[in-house]
């Protein structure tokens, strides 16, 4: 599933083609995605695109009357193409622009979503989300309070969108390794010193991934404009059984919350 950096780089890739353009119409070849594409989305005709923003893993196409919300799910991807381009299998939604281009959503498994958020309202999916990890609202006081009474594994708490959005499996593994914290350690047992180290590590890890993605971004105006995962130097994720980059002992891989979790039993406490 695309994680926050992939979604942010998708936002950066499509924004130049959408912002300050006119949305002529929305074409839905298949409305049954994860949720039914609502009538309000299809009613958006001849509307200026004010901006393209992101909240957690949701992209928001901001229009005068409200926002079209896009979520890529597990297999969705976006590409910008000439509006007359014939649809292929799994090309479900087109946002047709006056420029002659269109933003197309292809979603093989149909776990993505295209939803509507009325102006002045907050969609229920966005209402209870935690702070953005790169924002000032994600700070030491917030992290300390979130961890204080939680006995769950620290990795699972970091991946809870009510605590902070967008710290997915890859980046939780990486951040905890860099901070020297065992992923299975109860969140309430994480020391103040460890918390003080973890906070900037999370921010730096995500910021670096976004920066790397921006440098390797494929052209969204091409037919294969799927950004995919970036070529990154991952320290632990996907390296179970291989030598630790710090101490050379073999990394351990377990399952936490049904997700692959890799750590160094020597370097992380």
């Amino acid at each position: 599933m695309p994680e926050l950096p992939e979604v942010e780089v998708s936002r950066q890739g499509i924004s130049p083609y959408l912002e300050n353009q006119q949305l002529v119409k929305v074409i839905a070849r298949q409305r049954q995605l994860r949720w039914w594409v609502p009538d309000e989305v299809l009613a958006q005709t001849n509307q200026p695109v004010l901006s393209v923003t992101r909240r957690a893993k949701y992209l928001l196409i901001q229009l005068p009357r409200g926002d079209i919300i896009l979520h890529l799910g597990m297999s969705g991807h976006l590409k910008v193409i000439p509006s007359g381009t014939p649809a292929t299998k799994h090309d479900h939604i087109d946002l047709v622009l006056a420029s002659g281009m269109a933003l197309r959503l292809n979603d093989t498994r149909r776990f993505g979503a295209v939803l509507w958020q009325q102006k002045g309202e907050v969609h229920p999916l966005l209402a209870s989300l935690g702070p953005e990890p790169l924002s000032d609202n994600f700070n030491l006081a917030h992290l300390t309070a979130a961890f204080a009474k939680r006995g769950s594994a620290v990795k699972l708490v970091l991946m809870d969108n009510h605590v902070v959005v967008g710290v997915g499996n890859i980046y939780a593994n990486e951040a905890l390794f860099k901070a020297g914290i065992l992923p299975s350690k109860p969140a309430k047992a994480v020391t103040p010193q460890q918390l003080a180290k973890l906070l900037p590590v999370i921010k730096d890890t995500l910021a670096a991934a976004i920066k790397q993605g921006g440098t390797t971004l494929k052209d969204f105006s091409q037919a294969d404009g799927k950004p995919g995962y970036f070529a990154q130097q991952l320290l632990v994720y996907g390296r179970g059984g291989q030598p630790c980059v710090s101490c050379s002992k073999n990394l351990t891989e377990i399952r936490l919350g049904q997700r692959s979790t890799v750590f160094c039993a020597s370097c992380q406490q």
Side-chain angles (χ1 to χ4, degrees):
M1 179 179 292
E3 296 203 26
L4 183 146
E6 285 79 28
V7 178
E8 173 59 22
V9 171
S10 292
R11 186 197 68 78
Q12 294 176 4
I14 67 174
S15 291
Y17 298 97
L18 270 72
E19 291 182 342
N20 302 314
Q21 294 293 328
Q22 193 85 356
L23 174 64
V24 176
K25 61 182 177 179
V26 178
I27 298 173
R29 300 178 187 87
Q30 170 58 266
R31 294 180 69 175
Q32 187 57 63
L33 302 180
R34 185 173 182 182
W35 296 284
W36 185 257
V37 177
D39 293 342
E40 291 89 341
V41 170
L42 303 185
Q44 302 310 308
T45 58
N46 300 313
Q47 297 292 311
V49 178
L50 305 178
S51 65
V52 180
T53 62
R54 179 190 53 76
R55 181 71 173 105
K57 296 181 184 179
Y58 298 93
L59 293 172
L60 280 70
I61 313 297
Q62 298 191 328
L63 307 173
R65 301 170 185 166
D67 307 325
I68 296 176
I69 302 174
L70 303 177
H71 192 283
L72 299 179
M74 298 186 70
S75 60
H77 66 273
L78 299 168
K79 49 191 175 184
V80 179
I81 55 173
S83 58
T85 303
T88 60
K89 191 174 182 180
H90 310 303
D91 285 343
H92 301 313
I93 306 292
D94 283 4
L95 273 61
V96 180
L97 305 168
S99 64
M101 305 299 285
L103 177 68
R104 177 166 289 176
L105 171 66
N106 178 286
D107 189 358
T108 304
R109 300 179 69 180
R110 288 196 282 158
F111 287 164
V114 180
L115 302 168
W116 177 253
Q117 176 174 262
Q118 191 67 29
K119 185 176 181 180
E121 298 179 4
V122 178
H123 194 280
L125 289 172
L126 308 183
S128 61
L129 292 175
E132 291 285 332
L134 298 180
S135 73
D136 291 340
N137 291 330
F138 183 54
N139 52 43
L140 191 56
H142 173 82
L143 197 59
T144 300
F147 279 23
K149 297 181 180 180
R150 292 179 181 248
S152 302
V154 60
K155 178 170 176 274
L156 300 182
V157 175
L158 280 181
M159 293 176 63
D160 183 346
N161 277 333
H162 297 94
V163 174
V164 58
V165 300
V167 183
N169 195 42
I170 294 174
Y171 303 106
N173 276 284
E174 294 294 299
L176 288 168
F177 174 74
K178 294 175 185 177
I181 301 171
L182 273 175
S184 57
K185 187 171 188 171
K188 63 184 180 182
V190 176
T191 68
Q193 293 79 13
Q194 288 178 316
L195 277 174
K197 187 174 184 180
L198 178 61
L199 179 71
V201 162
I202 292 170
K203 291 176 178 283
D204 291 347
T205 299
L206 289 170
I210 292 169
K211 183 178 180 181
Q212 177 66 19
T215 64
T216 60
L217 179 66
K218 292 182 181 179
D219 188 346
F220 272 76
S221 67
Q222 298 299 316
D224 64 347
K226 182 178 180 180
Y229 286 91
F230 320 139
Q232 297 183 59
Q233 295 297 319
L234 297 175
L235 302 179
V236 290
Y237 182 81
R239 298 190 63 246
Q242 298 181 37
C244 171
V245 297
S246 295
C247 72
S248 298
K249 293 183 180 179
N250 287 348
L251 297 172
T252 301
E253 182 168 3
I254 62 172
R255 306 290 289 186
L256 271 179
Q258 301 182 333
R259 305 297 296 275
S260 172
T261 303
V262 185
F263 61 93
C264 176
S266 177
C267 296
Q268 293 170 256
Q269 299 177 358

